[in-house]
Amino acid sequence: MAAAAVDSAMEVVPVLAEEAAPDAAGLSCLVNLPGEVLEYILCSGSLTAADIGRVSSTCRRLRELCQSSGKVWKEQFRVRWPSLMKHYSPTDYVNWLEEYKVRQKAGLEARKIVASFSKRFFSEHVPCNGFSDIENLEGPEIFFEDELVCILNMEGRKALTWKYYAKKILYYLRQQKILNNLKAFLQQPDDYESYLEGAVYIDQYCNPLSDISLRDIQAQINSIVELVCKTLRGINSRHPSLAFKAGESCMIMEIELQSQVLDAINYVLYDQLKFKGNRMDYYNALNLYMHQVLIRRTGIPISMSLLYLTIARQLGVPLEPVNFPSHFLLRWCQSAEGATLDIFDYIYIDAFGKGKQLTVKECEYLIGQHVTAALYGVVNVKKVLQRMVGNLLSLGKREGIDQSYQLLRDSLDLYLAMYPDQVQLLLLQARLYFHLGIWPEKSFCLVLKVLDILQHIQTLDPGQHGAVGYLVQHTLEHIERKKEEVGVEVKLRSDEKHRDVCYSIGLIMKHKRYGYNCVIYGWDPTCMMGHEWIRNMNVHSLPHGHHQPFYNVLVEDGSCRYAAQENLEYNVEPQEISHPDVGRYFSEFTGTHYIPNAELEIRYPEDLEFVYETVQNIYSAKKENIE
């Protein structure tokens, strides 16, 4: 009977979606249905929020069913924004109608801000204070972030500029939150030894768009611990570690029992799960991110050691981290508690080398040099994180293709969060800002990020006067240039001086010599680079030298290049260019070419017509030939 009632009632649902109110007979039929059936209809997914609002205004019975804290509005919220439901507890009282309104308002505000970014920041990187209006937003930050994620997840090859700036804003918001959490974490007393938590903060900061949480990573490690316990049970069914409960902080003192745990860990990690040190691709930042270590089952000594240490401690083995030069290790005490110990009272564990247990001499053989006893000492969480970030910093300095230097910027932020008075790193950060042109929105503002850094350096180390003075001078020169800038340079294809320009922005090209695929995002009638660049790039060896059009191109490998016209040709099989800055210049990929966004089109207003003509001639002709 109930099923029949539901089926019958569902026929009334389309009536509710009409602008006009239902007639008296239909309304009477509807309100006389059992409450659970009515609720089922209203939550069926056939009605929008506007429909629910109209339904609730028809009579008291439906208004009561659509109360703001009830199931109907909760379902409306869940269907519209499912990813937000994890933030609510089933036991909490929630005014779902009010939450719906606040989330809707946050979404509109987010889209308004994203839409404004391209116009404001097209000509330069988003500046240091470019996010100030975001920081002052009203309402829960998670709602704003959720809308940004919705923009990023929009289907198809459209809205590329929106996605580009939504990604930048989301990146910034999450990094600020993570950095604040890290700073609070670093204020914990020295005996607070959550090495994994600190490592996860580093992972999150460098990968803010990934869904990484300490809870999820800990859950994966707990699964490994369960496998270790299963193996341990086969070694010693009465082992005390098997009685430990999750979250307990217990230690076993007998060396033999500890040894059994380590044997089980080695078997599960290296034989069963096939974890291993990444010798083939050692200098890869992924080796330092804990979520990637667990996914790829490989890492470098410090990340493998943190995984090994976390598992061992959960099972009662008090291993300790050792900041050994060139190769991070763990140490395992072999003497009774309370005894006076030296470096020979420990066995050293190489988690990178499949858990191999080493003596002091073997440790020195591992790195090929003799070291002092101090380097065998245990280190606290902050020192471990310093080494991890130091590794990332070294990798960031090696970046060649990524011209945004994102890894270098992220690792500098992390290092200076831990050690804010590192003069050389502050100088490096100032140079990086200067190189990338990351300036505040109003460049004449006295409180510039670069000048702030330089002033801090001068206070810390007056001996850096020369380097600081150089950067200050160039920063002030930049301010003066920005004051003198006039309008936007517009390049017309119809202009006589541009008659030799053959290609247009948005076309997918191939480099004749190097074979890379790229998309044009700018052009000059002749080479506009300086004499030094022309000489270094051997431009004079080209048949037409520098007296030919040159094109700014985004290359599929992530680089930006300046290519001579004679070196480019149409790509007869056009494909999307996976460059991080595509959205900065283009709004859509059509399958044959990119469509410029409003800001790029202002600068090249006649190019789109030439693009359509070229696409018609090149790709339509090819299609006809195939047919």
Side-chain angles (χ1 to χ4, degrees), residues 426-427 429-430 433 448-457:
L426 285 166
L427 267 175
Q429 188 179 56
Y433 275 115
L448 295 175
K449 176 72 173 178
V450 175
L451 291 180
D452 284 345
I453 296 171
L454 296 174
Q455 186 177 11
H456 186 48
I457 295 169

Side-chain angles (χ1 to χ4, degrees), residues 559-572:
S559 63
C560 303
R561 306 191 187 186
Y562 196 49
Q565 180 165 280
E566 65 184 78
N567 282 336
L568 294 176
E569 62 183 357
Y570 295 118
N571 190 325
V572 295

